[in-house]
Amino acid sequence: QIFAKDLRRAVRAGAPDALAEVADRYPDALAAAGPFPLSAAQLVVARRYGFASWARLKQHCTTIERYTRFPPADPAAPAGADLGAGEDLAGTFLRLACLWYEDDQPARWAAARELLAAHPELTHGQVHAAAAAADRAALASILAADPAAARREGGPYQAVPLYYLAYARHDPLIAEDEVLGAARLLLAAGADPNAGYLWQGLTSPFTVLTGVFGHGELGPDRQPRHPCAQPLARLLLTAGADPNDAQALYNRMFEPGNDHLELLFEFGLGQDAGGPWLARFGADIGTPASMLRGQLAWAITHGMTGRVRLLAEHGVDVTAPFEDGQTPTALARTTGHPDLVGLLIGYGAAEPSLSPLDDFIAAALAADQARIGQLQDRYPDIVARARAARPALVVWAAVLGRADVAALLTGLGFDINAKGRTDGVGSMEWETALHHAAGVGDVGLARTLVELGADPDIRDTRFGGTPLSWARHFGQEQTAAFLAPLTAAS
């Protein structure tokens, strides 16, 4: 409403930018007699954000507010029965036991396990704690007296019990029959298998299924899947969970395993069955087809042959260009995976048609000296153009684990200390090749990079860390041992 009032005020004052926006989004309003009304300003603001009406924008904002959750405060994991501010034992257990997608740490789950062992009574009469602990007896007692408790939000995440069950990680050896039995009790009492929330307001819901499948940007050690992930996911899908779970797909795309995709395809992944989250947020989540195309692009970029094959076999389009205009086969070539080209062609993709610049990049990433020479003869400025277009190409060579490519590129004048993205091709200056080698524990690559002139004291732009700090953060002891003597502030 504030935006609309500000726009009305600006239009009435004759502000050029405001008048130009109205002329673009609602020209009839300027032609109407009388002062510019608030209703017209509201419509312009709605259209600014892609909504057809002010009512639809308000409905969207109301839905965002309804489902948004922020991770609870997480001071150092308390020992024994020490409580967080305003918490009871059950609340402390839930806060420590569950993934929260901030700084997830196994130490928190161990503290939760110890707390539960010391106070097994904390699940008594506490539906959310009983669900997280998969305490069937406690759940049965609670639900017998109050079936509506299965749908009641509460605890530090203000979430339903089934959500806590899905996100709990306190016990890696938790019994499958207890977990499935607890889930069945909740579902039978009316728990929603599509329950979920918007993490910090982002419109990609963290659903119950998201929690079961786990993983994420911190990796499988710090954000593991549920110990009973596959059977629990199957139970939820059978109960009606939507297999088109955008956040689950994102969280699991970083690792090469495909068991989650195989299960989701079995239950209709890629087919729009009108799930509740797609109905609530539509294009903000993406269609099932667009979700799978995103999975395909990531799999190609990172050389995940098995996943590319699985996606293609389930009908994902391998022919159409991606949003940046590259075809799947061209993407395979320019990200250093020429072996995927034949696989994609076998599923109907066309031979890649590369510009001279992309041809050079593909040849460099393949360490194809002959092709590089041919391109240099034909296009004398090709190396300079490549350095300008992809200044951090050596970072991607490190992602590929190709010390030979890093050496080749350095010989061609590429900066060994250039900063780039290591999660995909992009122009953001994030970290160096040496940061990547340190973080993944590739001592041989790190050694080669240092020999090529990589600076051990350089800091990445996102976290301000040296390669040594990356090695230590990711628990790469051998790489840390190699870098420590070379780093000034070790």
Side-chain angles (χ1 to χ4, degrees):
Q1 190 77 346
I2 293 174
F3 289 167
K5 290 181 178 179
D6 287 345
L7 178 65
R8 179 183 63 177
R9 188 178 303 113
V11 170
R12 289 181 173 181
D17 289 348
L19 290 170
E21 182 179 14
V22 174
D24 180 51
R25 302 186 192 279
Y26 189 17
D28 291 348
L30 295 179
F36 186 68
L38 180 61
S39 60
Q42 289 172 334
L43 181 57
V44 172
V45 170
R47 289 176 175 175
R48 179 191 300 169
Y49 294 102
F51 293 91
S53 68
W54 179 253
R56 289 191 179 183
L57 174 58
K58 284 184 64 177
Q59 181 183 18
H60 178 80
C61 293
T62 299
T63 305
I64 292 284
E65 183 178 13
R66 162 68 182 87
Y67 290 104
T68 291
R69 298 292 185 275
F70 292 89
D74 185 53
D82 292 345
L83 305 180
E87 287 185 337
D88 57 11
L89 280 173
T92 299
F93 168 69
L94 290 169
R95 178 170 54 80
L96 296 174
C98 297
L99 292 178
W100 71 326
Y101 282 88
E102 283 280 357
D103 188 22
D104 289 306
Q105 295 284 355
R108 293 172 55 246
W109 312 327
R113 187 164 59 249
E114 293 170 6
L115 184 61
L116 181 61
H119 297 277
E121 74 281 1
L122 66 80
T123 63
H124 298 174
Q126 300 283 350
V127 67
H128 304 97
D135 186 336
R136 281 199 292 176
L139 270 179
S141 175
I142 294 167
L143 295 174
D146 181 13
R151 302 180 297 279
R152 187 168 298 135
E153 295 177 339
Y157 293 84
Q158 282 301 297
V160 294
L162 191 60
Y163 189 90
Y164 287 108
L165 184 150
Y167 284 77
R169 297 296 187 269
H170 63 288
D171 185 0
L173 302 178
I174 196 165
E176 180 179 314
D177 60 339
E178 292 296 316
V179 171
L180 299 186
R184 289 189 180 102
L185 284 171
L186 291 166
L187 291 167
D192 180 6
N194 285 299
Y197 302 97
L198 306 180
W199 185 82
Q200 297 192 350
L202 299 177
T203 52
S204 181
F206 281 67
T207 68
V208 172
L209 200 58
T210 303
V212 172
F213 282 130
H215 289 203
E217 294 178 358
L218 296 183
D221 292 331
R222 291 174 58 188
Q223 291 169 332
R225 66 182 73 186
H226 192 281
C228 308
Q230 289 299 106
L232 180 53
R234 178 176 291 278
L235 175 62
L236 292 168
L237 289 161
T238 302
D242 188 352
N244 298 297
D245 191 308
Q247 193 64 47
L249 291 172
Y250 175 82
N251 288 350
R252 288 293 295 269
M253 77 181 182
F254 302 103
E255 299 294 321
N258 294 319
D259 56 349
H260 67 295
L261 285 172
E262 292 166 355
L263 181 60
L264 291 171
F265 275 125
E266 181 182 337
F267 282 86
L269 174 61
Q271 303 168 28
D272 184 0
W277 292 103
L278 190 59
R280 289 173 187 135
F281 296 110
D284 288 333
I285 298 176
T287 65
S290 68
M291 292 179 195
L292 290 177
R293 285 277 289 174
Q295 293 283 304
L296 177 65
W298 179 274
I300 292 172
T301 299
H302 295 84
M304 297 178 174
T305 303
R307 185 167 299 169
V308 172
R309 181 179 290 110
L310 178 66
L311 293 168
E313 288 177 351
H314 282 84
V316 178
D317 186 358
V318 299
T319 63
F322 294 113
E323 290 184 1
D324 63 359
Q326 276 197 312
T327 64
T329 49
L331 180 63
R333 287 285 309 279
T334 57
T335 54
H337 305 293
D339 54 305
L340 287 178
V341 174
L343 176 66
L344 290 164
I345 289 173
Y347 285 106
E351 288 275 1
S353 177
L354 300 182
S355 67
L357 178 59
D358 284 343
D359 196 0
F360 175 86
I361 290 169
L365 293 177
D368 187 344
Q369 295 273 18
R371 183 58 181 161
I372 290 172
Q374 292 170 359
L375 289 166
Q376 285 180 297
D377 290 341
R378 182 181 245 181
Y379 308 100
D381 64 342
I382 195 69
V383 175
R385 288 166 55 195
R387 288 200 301 263
R390 295 280 295 275
L393 193 57
V394 70
V395 175
W396 195 250
V399 172
L400 296 174
R402 295 290 299 271
D404 59 330
V405 173
L408 183 153
L409 291 169
T410 306
L412 291 170
F414 283 81
D415 183 3
I416 194 67
N417 290 307
K419 294 175 182 176
R421 295 183 64 147
T422 53
D423 66 338
V425 178
S427 59
M428 296 178 184
E429 297 181 358
W430 283 1
E431 55 262 3
T432 69
L434 188 57
H435 281 96
H436 177 78
V440 300
D442 192 332
V443 181
L445 177 59
R447 192 182 306 278
T448 297
L449 294 171
V450 170
E451 291 171 353
L452 291 170
D455 180 4
D457 292 316
I458 197 168
R459 295 183 180 273
D460 74 274
T461 58
R462 290 188 296 164
F463 312 110
T466 63
L468 174 60
S469 68
W470 276 50
R472 287 173 172 166
H473 178 77
F474 289 105
Q476 304 295 352
E477 296 179 3
Q478 289 185 323
T479 317
F482 166 67
L483 290 169
L486 306 175
T487 306
S490 61

